[in-house]
Amino acid sequence: MEMDVDLIFKIAAIGILVAALNQVLTRSGRDEQATMVTLAGLVVLMLVVQEISDLFELIRTLFDL
């Protein structure tokens, strides 16, 4: 179960980092780089889709849904 909590924190950290970088780049007038950072963040999250699926399956079985 602890592995799953770590996964949630890693996903949240990626999201916060991408959002912060996007804001900094956008405010400095580098919209193209901000878009690339956002796309890179999405690619990283797509790589962990299977882990997210396993986490939701665990939650479903835990609560008998």
Side-chain angles (χ1 to χ4, degrees):
M1 185 70 175
E2 185 175 330
M3 181 72 165
D4 298 325
V5 175
D6 289 341
L7 178 64
I8 292 171
F9 285 134
K10 287 177 184 178
I11 293 169
I14 291 169
I16 291 169
L17 182 64
V18 167
L21 283 172
N22 189 1
Q23 287 296 316
V24 168
L25 289 170
T26 300
R27 301 219 185 240
S28 66
R30 298 180 176 177
D31 293 328
E32 293 84 12
Q33 286 88 359
T35 303
M36 294 304 288
V37 166
T38 303
L39 289 174
L42 286 174
V43 168
V44 170
L45 288 177
M46 293 310 254
L47 293 175
V48 294
V49 164
Q50 183 60 42
E51 294 295 325
I52 295 169
S53 173
D54 292 343
L55 173 65
F56 284 131
E57 188 62 36
L58 176 68
I59 291 171
R60 276 177 61 179
T61 57
L62 185 65
F63 291 110
D64 280 336
L65 297 176

